Amino acid sequence: MREFPYRTAMVTGASSGIGEGFARRLAAAGVDVVLVARRGDRLGELAAELESGHGVRAEVLAADLTDEEQLATVEKRLTDPAHPVELLVNNAGSSGSGAFAELPAERELHTAVLNAVVPLRLTRACLPGMIARGAGGVVNVSSLVAVLPKPRSATYAASKAFLSSLGESLAMEVERHGVHVTTVHTGLTRSGFHQAAGVPTDTLPKINWLTPDDVARAGLEAVAAGRPSVVPGLAYRVRLPLLRAMPRSVVRALVRRVHQA
């Protein structure tokens, strides 16, 4: 990656998987990081490792972003004029697996809030300061399912569609201010996400899996270059425009075939 334009970054969901991949990439580039996740012990271990290995400052902010009071604390950190955050990585997310009508409503609301409402609020918190400074960046970690129907993960797909649309619109709004918003459309990634969501990995394709570092590298290179979106992995970059060009009836038929296989 060329010289990175941001000196400080906040990463949500930083305790593992893709978020940890972003934190490691940023620290290796000499960027001070604010690490946000629920698991404070894991964040502390990661922060110590990043500080000793790269000489950066790694701040730990343990928070459940679906809790109103804790989310407000993270918003306040983003608006601290004495310690500005120049890059926000909205990575924290969750999903459930199962028929929508049978899943607990509270779990589905949690997914919708964490995947859609939380990035909206954190982005809204940091953008005014970035615009005033004439520089800044936001990376939203979305998914290829944002353009697909996703039976048995309906709320997850819908929330990622919201996130992708929000990111594309905001990128157009703020580019004239020197602020870049980049949406990362990820494919299957070996991050532990599917296991946490209760999705049996043996039902998923065995090829074209990405690593957290693949996703982080693509996202950081894209936001540094001012690109509004990026798809990590050649195989997925080929598929996304094809999916968008297909009639929806064809897309539904393909998805139905996969879920019936």
Side-chain angles (χ1 to χ4, degrees), residues 209-231:
W209 283 78
L210 302 166
T211 67
D213 186 65
D214 292 331
V215 178
R217 182 179 67 252
L220 295 178
E221 288 178 351
V223 73
R227 297 199 298 272
S229 67
V230 65
V231 181

Side-chain angles (χ1 to χ4, degrees), residues 83-206:
H83 301 93
V85 171
E86 298 182 0
L87 174 71
L88 168 65
V89 179
N90 284 313
N91 165 75
S94 71
S95 178
S97 178
F100 178 79
E102 299 171 4
L103 291 170
E106 183 177 355
R107 172 67 182 270
E108 295 305 280
L109 287 169
H110 176 277
T111 293
V113 169
L114 187 57
N115 294 358
V117 177
V118 167
L120 182 154
R121 286 187 53 172
L122 296 183
T123 302
R124 177 60 183 81
C126 71
L127 277 184
M130 292 178 179
I131 291 170
R133 294 190 296 271
V138 177
V139 174
N140 291 323
V141 179
S142 186
S143 169
L144 288 175
V145 303
V147 302
L148 296 170
K150 193 71 169 67
R152 303 188 65 80
S153 294
T155 302
Y156 175 76
S159 60
K160 289 300 186 181
F162 174 92
L163 183 61
S164 292
S165 179
L166 177 70
E168 185 175 13
S169 298
L170 293 182
M172 298 176 68
E173 284 188 17
V174 301
E175 60 182 346
R176 65 189 178 92
H177 299 291
V179 180
H180 303 307
V181 178
T182 296
T183 301
V184 185
H185 294 95
T186 65
L188 293 170
T189 306
R190 298 193 183 281
S191 62
F193 178 83
H194 296 92
Q195 293 90 331
V199 178
T201 54
D202 57 2
T203 66
L204 298 170
K206 301 297 187 292

